[in-house]
């Protein structure tokens, strides 16, 4: 089902007699699967407002991200949270949409400096499981009128409502990008270096550490963006600051830099390789110890260590219990992004928190028809 | 301003309630003497006051939990209070309510510079969070004007912003974790020193919920390394329209200043008389600040000045020293105090799209003549958050009501042009009755559904945010 | 804020002044952030905003003060940090002084309180009696544990180990300037300070005469009245203040005075307020003239040519007395002078917060005073200074009673740096500091 208007969508939901699977571009089948009827937002598309001087863009939830990126690029602006493109990692096709990015609170390496999708949302329109058309927020940055359901919708994976329209804050695209690169650091040293970099006044917009690929060496990457002069200055300061770890080299070629970070953003090293992929959100300085607790896995560190992508080959000793145990003692949580979709994939929740989630779902989707079971948490170990 | 009638059944049980609270709280933490509860009858919105039945000042999460459980059992409403600096009446009690003040919980629990977070008790003032980390060269970014005195608890409740939020975001963008105590005493941890939520973004929901979903006793906040330097530039114009266009052009040019502040003539004059910062006497003044190394600052200000010159400013002055920077900011920061020395005033807080600035200022000027009340405008131009100061005489009968009427018209105008009722101060009671102007019945119902989940008995700060008739059924159920 | 006084009430000039002050308060709450008692107690009622509210209620309703209102106002240190912070220019000092007067007139304190306050008012402003009392305290100290009232215990604790002999420098006389006479100034010798510490006046006289000042100790001058004024005993405070005004006016009209110089900042604030205190009486003009030339010693020194000194290598932690930084808004002069003289000046964190001395506060409110004292000493010692310098005897006694770091007056260091003798306090460490429990500020004192 692919409604063309918000009213049509509301009608479908009101009249639904069974579970619905909400879909934007279908590129991101996360969480437990189901055979419910497909409800697509693909036709709720189009940019309805774009004011570069106010850093504001409003578009239908079904608008392809590419269309938005193009419109923004024409004004030297961009979506600063650089959402991940899941297609490579999950082996899917389709066209990523704005609504999907918001529903899954997708972000990228720049989250450490700029924020995630939720930090750029100004307002939403959605249809909840009762068929109510609901508006929250607006189109201005400073808005504390009533409760912030915009944040609630972000990352709720369509289980509370179907997004129809999104208002976003956009930012200018910098003129220049520089990437500092060092090979050969062990995980612990790499994270140490990245923490130092992020604690400096030189505004780092990307901090990642990649495992070696096929006999190569691990690579530590730091991104700086701004004017040419600013990037050059900050890179030099950063090289001096981190000299104790080794000699970081600077690359300012725009295409190579963009490719480097797309590589990190889209978890390229794990694409096309067998095994489950987990996504861990942790306290950065604890990341190496967590990974060390999980032998046989391969790790990509992003967000200076705050995000760990873990490739868990079959037969490796690290299953859900081991991963949760490694994270539990140090704070954070783990989600299985790629793996058996018949089982729960979301992180376990404390009973009190789960109770609140269930309560919210009962309010917004009393019949339980929107992506039922998708966000079921894994068993608490 | 209508408030619900106090419940006589609750009032009659005051002695019992106080006795039970005294059993679970330390000596001196329960205040019920009528001479003393009076001091808690309002926050910074003094037009509305009502002494609470009692005041409790717990010193720990445990004490908060025990106290709330008792109030929950006895059906007593609870109004949380930080430093009582709210301009929206967020901490206004009803006669049958208990004020829960968090000022005795103000410790720093842990600072973690490696991971760039700090954990604090929420009674701590905003500025003293920065105070705790500034020696190491860090700061906590959201900086409301009241940051000297306002508490983190209040910042979280109202999702406070400040001049720096153009670049660094507001409280919800800098909040990573909380300890939340629900009305029935349940204590839970949400978030922590990691970035993503495990399920729904409950932190995002709690931030800005005006003390209606739970009492936050501890918080994990992001701290940032201070930039190498900062410098403001003063740009004066002979028209607000031109000033607004200049702001727009600066943003379009790809420069992202850390703050863009705007003042109009009445405000400029009052500030200059008070702070002697060297402001020109002109129609509109912008203070634009950028950060970085000296060279980076020079580069950015160079761009900004070039843009400004295209708009033919009457004054264009970069600060050349730390003293001058301090003086330029001192004027702006003393705006409310400076106006207060001249007049009583009511400070509004609406947001508008930047493109609507000239139109809105013009309309405010027209309404000012209609109502016969002067208005001085100061606001965060970078994000369109306006603070019109309506001047009136508190001791003149009828003036307050006139002022409020005028204020409501301005806020409605903000909504009409695509903005919203409140950008930083929150709804409280002040804008409660205008909520239906911005949101439809289903929109409000959805928000109230959330409260049903967290506080089914509607005991936490019940008479705020939602118009009384809209929330009637749920409050009284 | 909106006020509700009747026209009849406003006919009283004191109420009119109170109304002026109350109208200027917008209830914003900024003052709570820098109020020491709010930091310790976390209760709105123990903040300037809360006290203003209580006073407003009391005056508007022409009520007799109640026990709770008196309790909270008694807890005010009069440190005036709130006045420094207030963005609206509320003159809190005048309001709280008026409230104290009102309370003194209309509130019947418990017998013990009345007796204590009567005794303090009869002893502290009179150096002779005070010396005897200190001697008595020295003798009585071993029996401290038998004292039923914490305030009496506090008094015994405060008595210094060394009671100096009477200094003849404090007698009325004129000290000629060395070399060319540049200024003629009257030195206020005060009251309590004379009994506790004669080094300060000695150093002041030496330094000023060395810099070309003729220093006169005026006949008939004595206590400035601050102590009794802050108890609300305005009849007594006005009586002693009047004596000072008469004594100094005689000098002004006689040989002339360039300044009335005060080296106890707690007194300086009051002398500068004489113009306001006496505004509606026959002494109005004279009081205004005296206030106009009243100066803290650091202010006067800034007008003289204090020679620059070589680096002494001595680390001096400068303690900013409330009466100096908030009451008189003098924040940089003492530091500038010390730096110029060759000392390395450091400042403690939270330097705006009171040490808890506040006149007789450390005697009347020992629990709160102790918390503030411990905090202040902790922040001072964190800077590992060689000495601690302050511009007020009360602070010096308070801080000195809890640290081994030598505590002395700023003027003593400046005297030493410009040719005077080494300050005696340099060689006297304070009492051995007991291991301090990490009490933080979450503990709340047990209240009466």
């Amino acid at each position: 089902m692919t409604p063309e208007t918000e009213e049509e969508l509301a009608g479908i939901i009101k009249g639904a007699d069974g579970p619905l699977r909400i879909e934007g571009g279908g590129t991101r089948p996360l969480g437990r699967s189901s055979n419910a009827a497909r409800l697509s937002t693909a036709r709720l598309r189009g940019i309805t407002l774009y004011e570069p001087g106010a850093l504001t863009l409003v578009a239908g939830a079904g608008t392809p991200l590419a269309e938005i990126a193009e419109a923004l690029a024409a004004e030297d602006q961009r979506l600063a949270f650089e959402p991940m493109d899941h297609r490579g990692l999950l082996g899917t096709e389709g066209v990523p949409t704005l609504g999907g990015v918001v529903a899954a609170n997708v972000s990228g390496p720049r989250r450490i400096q700029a924020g995630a999708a939720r930090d750029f949302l100004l307002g939403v329109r959605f249809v909840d499981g009762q068929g109510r058309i609901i508006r929250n927020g607006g189109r201005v940055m400073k808005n504390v009128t009533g409760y912030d359901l915009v944040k609630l919708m972000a990352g709720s994976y369509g289980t509370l409502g179907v997004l129809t329209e999104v208002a976003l804050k956009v930012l200018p695209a910098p003129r220049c990008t520089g990437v500092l690169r060092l090979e050969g650091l062990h995980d612990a040293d790499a994270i140490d270096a990245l923490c130092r970099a992020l604690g400096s006044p030189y505004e780092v917009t990307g901090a990642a550490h990649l495992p070696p690929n096929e006999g190569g060496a691990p690579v530590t990457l730091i991104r700086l963006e701004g004017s040419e002069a600013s990037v050059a200055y900050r890179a030099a300061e950063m090289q001096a600051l981190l000299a104790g770890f080794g000699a970081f080299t600077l690359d300012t070629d725009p295409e190579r830099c963009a490719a480097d970070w797309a590589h990190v953003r889209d978890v390229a090293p794990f694409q096309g390789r067998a095994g489950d992929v987990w996504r861990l959100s942790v306290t950065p300085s604890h990341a190496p110890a967590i990974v060390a607790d999980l032998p046989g896995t391969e790790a990509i560190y992003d967000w200076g260590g705050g995000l760990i992508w873990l490739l868990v080959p079959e037969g490796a000793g690290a299953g859900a219990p081991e991963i949760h145990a490694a994270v539990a003692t140090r704070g954070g949580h783990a989600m299985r992004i790629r793996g058996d979709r018949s089982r729960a994939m979301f992180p376990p929740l404390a009973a009190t928190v789960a109770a609140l989630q269930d309560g919210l779902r009962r309010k917004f989707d009393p019949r339980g028809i929107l992506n039922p079971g998708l966000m079921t948490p894994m068993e608490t170990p | 301003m209508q408030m619900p009638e106090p419940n006589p059944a609750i009032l009659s049980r005051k002695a019992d309630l106080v006795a039970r609270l005294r059993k679970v709280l330390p000596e001196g933490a329960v205040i019920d003497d009528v001479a003393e509860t009076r001091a808690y009858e309002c926050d910074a919105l003094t037009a509305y006051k009502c002494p609470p039945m009692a005041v409790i000042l717990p010193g720990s999460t445990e004490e908060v939990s025990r106290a709330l459980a008792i109030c929950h059992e006895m059906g007593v409403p609870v109004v949380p209070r930080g430093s009582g600096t709210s301009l929206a009446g967020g901490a206004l009690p009803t006669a049958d309510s208990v004020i829960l003040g968090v000022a005795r919980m103000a410790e720093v629990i842990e600072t973690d510079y490696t991971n760039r977070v700090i954990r604090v008790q929420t009674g701590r003032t905003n500025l003293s969070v920065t105070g705790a980390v500034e020696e190491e060269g860090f700061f906590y970014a959201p900086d409301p004007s009241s940051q000297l005195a306002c508490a983190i608890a209040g910042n979280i409740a109202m999702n406070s912003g400040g001049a720096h939020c153009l670049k660094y975001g507001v409280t919800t963008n800098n909040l990573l974790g909380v300890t939340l105590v629900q009305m029935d005493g349940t204590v839970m941890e949400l978030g922590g020193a990691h970035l993503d939520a495990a399920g729904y973004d409950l932190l995002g929901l709690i931030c800005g919920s005006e003390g209606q979903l739970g009492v936050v006793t501890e918080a994990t906040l992001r701290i940032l390394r201070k930039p190498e330097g900062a410098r403001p530039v003063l740009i004066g114009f002979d028209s607000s329209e031109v000033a607004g266009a200049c702001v727009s052009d600066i943003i379009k040019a790809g420069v992202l200043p850390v703050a863009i502040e705007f003042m109009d003539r009445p405000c400029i004059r009052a500030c200059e008389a008070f702070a002697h910062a060297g402001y020109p006497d002109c129609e509109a003044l912008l203070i634009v600040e950028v950060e970085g190394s000296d060279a980076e600052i020079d580069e950015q200000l160079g761009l900004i000045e070039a843009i400004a010159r295209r708009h033919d400013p009457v004054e264009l002055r970069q600060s050349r020293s730390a003293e001058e920077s301090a003086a330029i900011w001192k004027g702006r920061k003393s705006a409310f105090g400076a106006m207060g020395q001249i007049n009583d005033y009511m400070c509004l807080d609406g947001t508008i799209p930047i493109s609507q600035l000239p139109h809105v200022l013009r309309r405010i000027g027209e309404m000012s003549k209609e109502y016969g009340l002067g208005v001085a405008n100061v606001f965060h131009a970078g994000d369109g958050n306006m603070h019109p100061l309506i001047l009136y005489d508190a001791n003149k009968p009828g003036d307050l009501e006139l002022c409020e009427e005028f204020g409501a018209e301005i806020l409605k105008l903000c909504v009409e042009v695509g903005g919203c009722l409140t950008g930083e101060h929150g709804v409280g009671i002040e804008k409660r009755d205008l909520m239906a102007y911005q949101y439809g019945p289903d929109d409000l119902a959805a928000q109230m559904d959330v409260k049903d989940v967290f506080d089914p008995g509607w005991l936490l700060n019940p008479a705020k945010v939602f118009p009384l008739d809209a929330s009637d059924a749920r409050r009284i159920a | 804020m909106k006020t509700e006084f009747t026209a009849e009430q406003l006919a009283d000039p004191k109420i009119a002044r109170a109304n002026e002050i109350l109208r200027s308060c917008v209830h914003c709450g900024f003052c709570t952030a820098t109020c020491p008692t709010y930091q310790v107690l976390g209760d709105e009622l123990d903040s300037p905003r809360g006290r203003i509210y209580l006073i407003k209620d009391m005056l508007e309703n022409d009520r007799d003060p109640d026990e709770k209102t008196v309790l909270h106002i008694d807890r005010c240190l009069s440190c005036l940090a709130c006045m420094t912070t207030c963005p609206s220019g509320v003159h809190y000092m005048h309001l709280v002084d008026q409230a104290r007067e009102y309370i003194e007139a209309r509130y019947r304190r418990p017998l013990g309180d009345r007796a204590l306050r009567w005794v303090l008012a009869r002893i502290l402003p009179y150096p002779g009696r005070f010396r005897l009392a200190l001697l008595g305290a020295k003798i009585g100290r071993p029996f401290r544990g038998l004292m039923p009232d914490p305030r009496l215990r506090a008094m015994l604790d405060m008595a210094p180990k060394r009671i100096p002999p009477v200094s003849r420098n404090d007698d009325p006389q004129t000290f000629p300037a060395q070399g060319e006479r540049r200024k003629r100034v009257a030195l206020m010798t005060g009251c309590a300070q004379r009994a506790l510490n004669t080094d300060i006046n000695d150093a002041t006289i030496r330094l000023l005469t060395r810099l070309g000042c003729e220093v006169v100790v005026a006949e008939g001058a004595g206590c400035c009245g601050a102590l009794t004024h802050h108890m609300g005993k305005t009849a007594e405070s006005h009586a002693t203040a009047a004596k000072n005004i008469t004594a100094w006016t005689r000098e002004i009209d006689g040989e002339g005075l360039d300044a009335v110089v005060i080296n106890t900042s707690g007194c300086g604030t009051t002398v500068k307020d004489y113009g306001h205190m006496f505004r509606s009486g026959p002494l109005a003009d004279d009081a205004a003239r005296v206030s106009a030339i009243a100066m803290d010693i650091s202010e006067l020194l800034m007008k003289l040519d204090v020679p620059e000194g070589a680096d002494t290598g001595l680390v001096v932690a400068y303690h900013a007395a409330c009466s100096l930084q908030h009451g008189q808004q003098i924040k940089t002069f003492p530091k500038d002078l010390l730096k110029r003289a060759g000392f390395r000046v450091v400042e403690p964190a939270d330097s705006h917060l009171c040490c808890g001395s506040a006149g007789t506060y450390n005697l009347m409110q020992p629990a709160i005073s102790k918390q503030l004292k411990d905090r202040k000493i902790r922040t001072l010692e964190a800077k590992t200074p060689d000495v601690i310098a302050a511009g007020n005897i009360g602070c010096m006694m308070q801080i000195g009673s809890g640290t081994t770091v030598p505590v002395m007056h700023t003027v003593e260091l400046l005297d030493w740096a410009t040719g005077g003798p080494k300050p005696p306090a340099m060689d006297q460490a304070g009492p051995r500091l007991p291991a301090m429990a990490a009490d933080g500020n979450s503990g709340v004192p047990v209240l009466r």
Side-chain angles (χ1 to χ4, degrees), chain B residues 2 5 12 14 58 61 69 125 134 154 206 230 256 278 287 294 308 317 322 349 358 403 415 443:
Chain B
Q2 228 210 326
E5 286 300 310
S12 67
K14 173 179 165 175
T61 303
T125 64
E134 62 188 349
I206 286 159
L256 204 58
I287 302 174
D294 278 342
R317 172 160 48 102
D349 170 53
C403 187
V415 174
D443 303 330

Side-chain angles (χ1 to χ4, degrees), chain B residues 97 126 169 183 281 305:
Chain B
S97 65
N126 175 296
M183 185 65 216
D281 186 14
E305 287 194 347

Side-chain angles (χ1 to χ4, degrees), chain C residues 227-433:
Chain C
L227 283 166
T228 41
H229 192 68
H230 292 140
M231 284 193 210
K233 295 176 187 285
T234 8
E236 291 169 55
S237 65
H238 277 226
T240 51
K243 288 207 191 101
N244 282 349
I245 292 169
T246 310
W248 291 327
T249 309
R250 196 188 330 111
E251 291 296 331
I252 293 172
D253 293 337
E255 276 200 55
L257 283 179
D258 294 299
V260 173
V261 63
I262 302 130
N263 55 22
T264 300
S265 59
C267 308
T269 310
T270 300
V271 175
K272 287 183 180 180
D273 202 43
Y274 279 176
H276 180 265
M277 281 163 68
F278 286 84
R279 65 191 181 285
S280 24
L283 280 175
D285 283 340
D286 289 344
R289 282 197 294 157
V290 165
S291 288
I293 59 168
M295 276 185 219
D296 180 75
I297 179 67
S298 63
E299 278 182 282
L300 178 60
L301 289 169
M302 289 298 284
K303 295 187 200 289
L304 300 166
D305 251 318
V306 181
E308 223 177 303
D311 181 20
T312 62
L314 206 69
V315 177
V316 176
Y318 173 68
H319 164 72
C322 294
S323 40
L324 198 52
Q325 63 167 327
H326 302 306
Q328 299 183 48
Q329 291 291 308
I330 292 171
K331 302 174 205 234
T332 54
F333 293 168
K335 292 185 279 180
D336 293 343
L337 289 164
L338 286 167
K339 281 182 203 154
R340 193 182 159 75
F343 298 101
R344 300 189 193 168
V345 178
V346 295
E347 275 181 274
D350 293 337
S351 61
H352 61 281
L353 282 184
C354 184
C355 68
S357 173
T360 52
Y361 195 92
N362 50 10
L363 305 176
M364 304 297 291
Q365 301 279 342
I368 298 173
S369 174
K370 172 126 197 349
Q371 286 207 34
L372 292 172
K373 173 174 116 173
D374 289 347
R375 264 212 222 202
K376 179 60 70 176
I377 290 174
R378 216 181 306 141
T379 56
L380 282 165
E381 289 182 345
K383 296 289 175 183
T384 56
D386 296 314
V387 306
I388 294 168
N392 187 41
I393 184 68
C395 308
M396 289 166 61
M397 299 301 300
Q398 173 88 336
I399 295 169
S401 72
T403 181
T404 53
V405 179
V407 181
M408 62 204 62
H409 196 289
T410 308
V411 73
E412 294 180 77
L413 287 167
L414 295 172
D415 175 44
W416 183 31
T418 55
K422 186 171 162 192
M426 288 285 295
D427 300 319
Q428 287 149 24
R432 262 256 78 82
L433 199 65

Side-chain angles (χ1 to χ4, degrees), chain C residues 1-335:
Chain C
M1 283 191 287
K2 181 175 173 198
T3 56
E4 278 156 6
F5 290 103
T6 63
E8 207 184 302
Q9 285 176 304
L10 291 170
D12 174 350
K14 286 194 182 143
I15 296 291
R17 175 70 183 132
N19 181 52
E20 221 173 58
I21 299 170
L22 291 167
R23 286 282 282 128
S24 66
C25 171
V26 300
H27 211 74
C28 68
F30 276 43
C31 53
T32 65
T34 49
C35 173
T37 57
Y38 187 76
Q39 296 307 309
V40 169
L41 297 169
D43 183 350
E44 173 78 14
L45 293 151
D46 291 308
S47 75
R49 182 172 63 168
R51 290 182 181 117
I52 288 172
Y53 217 66
L54 289 169
I55 294 170
K56 175 176 183 285
D57 187 63
M58 184 172 73
L59 295 179
E60 275 177 345
N61 293 302
D62 200 19
R63 270 194 298 106
D64 284 339
D66 59 275
E67 190 194 335
K68 297 287 188 179
T69 300
V70 173
L71 170 72
H72 294 299
I73 291 179
D74 278 353
R75 283 202 187 132
C76 171
L77 292 146
S78 268
C79 71
L80 307 180
C82 53
M83 288 185 66
T84 298
T85 305
C86 178
S88 309
V90 176
H91 207 303
Y92 177 83
M93 181 174 99
H94 286 167
L95 187 68
V96 79
D97 282 347
Q98 193 184 126
R100 290 200 177 103
E101 196 185 336
Y102 188 95
I103 288 170
E104 189 65 12
R106 293 178 64 158
Y107 180 70
R108 192 153 177 79
R109 292 178 182 274
L111 179 60
D113 277 9
R114 276 184 283 134
L116 197 55
R117 292 159 63 90
W118 186 91
V119 163
L120 287 176
R122 287 271 163 294
I123 293 185
L124 289 173
Y126 304 95
R129 299 179 203 173
F130 192 25
R131 251 179 236 113
L132 280 174
L134 289 174
L135 207 53
K138 237 179 120 168
I139 297 168
R141 212 200 278 236
F143 305 101
R144 175 191 189 283
L146 296 175
M147 287 292 163
D149 190 312
R151 293 168 298 177
L152 296 175
R153 284 199 291 276
M155 281 173 210
L156 290 180
D157 287 341
M158 281 303 296
K161 286 197 308 216
R162 236 183 96 242
I163 301 165
V166 174
S167 168
R168 297 273 65 107
N169 283 343
D170 292 331
D171 295 338
Q173 64 193 281
T174 303
F175 299 90
Q178 278 180 38
E180 182 201 329
R181 186 182 91 169
R182 294 208 184 90
K183 288 189 192 291
R184 186 170 191 271
V185 305
L187 174 65
M188 192 188 86
T189 49
C191 60
Q193 180 175 295
R194 284 161 60 180
L196 293 167
N197 180 320
T198 51
D199 301 332
I200 300 171
N201 280 353
D202 290 350
T204 307
I205 293 165
R206 279 193 302 263
L207 180 59
L208 288 178
T209 50
R210 190 180 306 127
L211 293 172
C213 291
E214 179 174 300
V215 179
V216 55
V217 178
E219 175 83 45
C223 168
C224 70
L227 283 166
T228 41
H229 192 68
H230 292 140
M231 284 193 210
K233 295 176 187 285
T234 8
E236 291 169 55
S237 65
H238 277 226
T240 51
K243 288 207 191 101
N244 282 349
I245 292 169
T246 310
W248 291 327
T249 309
R250 196 188 330 111
E251 291 296 331
I252 293 172
D253 293 337
E255 276 200 55
L257 283 179
D258 294 299
V260 173
V261 63
I262 302 130
N263 55 22
T264 300
S265 59
C267 308
T269 310
T270 300
V271 175
K272 287 183 180 180
D273 202 43
Y274 279 176
H276 180 265
M277 281 163 68
F278 286 84
R279 65 191 181 285
S280 24
L283 280 175
D285 283 340
D286 289 344
R289 282 197 294 157
V290 165
S291 288
I293 59 168
M295 276 185 219
D296 180 75
I297 179 67
S298 63
E299 278 182 282
L300 178 60
L301 289 169
M302 289 298 284
K303 295 187 200 289
L304 300 166
D305 251 318
V306 181
E308 223 177 303
D311 181 20
T312 62
L314 206 69
V315 177
V316 176
Y318 173 68
H319 164 72
C322 294
S323 40
L324 198 52
Q325 63 167 327
H326 302 306
Q328 299 183 48
Q329 291 291 308
I330 292 171
K331 302 174 205 234
T332 54
F333 293 168
K335 292 185 279 180

Side-chain angles (χ1 to χ4, degrees), chain B residues 357-403:
Chain B
L357 177 62
H359 166 69
V360 171
L361 284 178
R362 206 179 316 122
R363 275 296 298 138
I364 290 178
E366 287 163 11
M367 287 193 272
S368 166
K369 291 197 185 79
E370 280 164 36
Y371 281 91
L373 296 172
V375 180
N377 286 291
V378 53
F379 66 99
H380 311 297
D383 46 41
N385 185 198
M386 306 188 63
H387 292 302
L389 306 176
I390 304 179
L391 311 173
Y392 74 109
D393 184 352
N395 268 17
K396 179 173 164 199
D399 241 25
L400 173 65
E401 289 74 19
L402 199 61
C403 187

Side-chain angles (χ1 to χ4, degrees), chain B residues 14-270:
Chain B
K14 173 179 165 175
D16 187 18
L17 171 72
V18 168
R20 291 183 64 182
L21 288 170
R22 287 213 161 106
K23 285 211 187 79
V24 303
L25 294 173
E27 193 177 327
V30 182
I31 300 168
D32 68 327
D33 186 309
V34 162
E36 295 183 304
T37 52
R38 196 175 296 120
Y40 287 88
E41 69 183 5
C42 65
D43 47 33
L45 183 69
T46 54
Y48 301 102
K49 11 185 178 207
C50 175
M53 194 164 59
V55 177
I56 56 174
L57 302 174
S60 70
T61 303
E62 182 56 39
E63 287 172 20
V64 171
S65 169
R66 284 190 240 131
L68 285 180
I70 290 170
C71 293
H72 180 250
E73 202 196 299
M74 296 179 69
V76 176
V78 172
V79 177
R81 177 182 169 117
S83 300
T85 56
S86 169
L87 290 169
L92 174 70
T94 48
D96 56 359
S97 65
V98 170
I99 288 269
L100 191 158
V102 297
R104 288 190 175 161
M105 297 185 283
E107 293 294 296
V108 171
I109 296 166
E110 193 190 338
T111 41
D112 182 351
Y113 295 104
T114 309
N115 294 301
R116 302 165 312 281
V117 293
I118 185 171
R119 180 95 176 157
V120 297
Q121 291 182 318
T122 55
R124 193 171 183 86
T125 64
N126 175 296
L127 190 61
S128 68
V129 174
T130 293
V133 299
E134 62 188 349
E135 249 183 63
E136 295 294 319
F138 282 76
F139 74 112
Y140 173 61
D143 60 339
S145 309
S146 57
Q147 65 174 155
L148 174 68
C150 63
I152 293 294
N155 288 172
I156 293 172
M158 294 309 197
N159 191 14
S160 305
H164 272 62
C165 63
L166 177 62
K167 180 168 176 192
Y168 294 114
V170 295
T171 302
T172 194
N173 310 115
N174 291 275
L175 178 68
L176 295 181
V178 297
T179 302
L180 181 81
V181 185
Q182 286 183 269
M183 185 65 216
D184 63 1
T186 308
V187 180
M188 72 178 71
E189 295 296 324
L190 293 166
H194 53 274
L195 288 177
D196 276 353
Y200 291 160
D201 191 351
L202 299 178
L203 271 183
L205 194 54
I206 286 159
C207 194
S209 60
E210 308 205 12
Q212 292 195 319
L213 300 184
V215 176
V216 176
T217 54
E218 290 183 18
T220 302
L221 306 168
R222 273 204 320 161
I223 49 174
L224 303 171
R225 183 66 186 273
K226 268 191 341 202
E228 293 179 273
R231 201 187 312 154
V233 61
L234 208 58
I235 317 175
F237 296 96
D238 54 17
S239 110
S240 323
E241 220 152 1
V242 175
C246 183
V247 171
S248 203
D249 283 351
I250 290 172
I251 293 174
K252 269 197 277 212
V255 186
L256 204 58
V258 72
I260 307 179
E261 296 292 290
F262 172 110
M263 289 189 283
D264 69 0
R265 196 186 291 269
C267 206
I268 299 167
R269 283 188 176 155

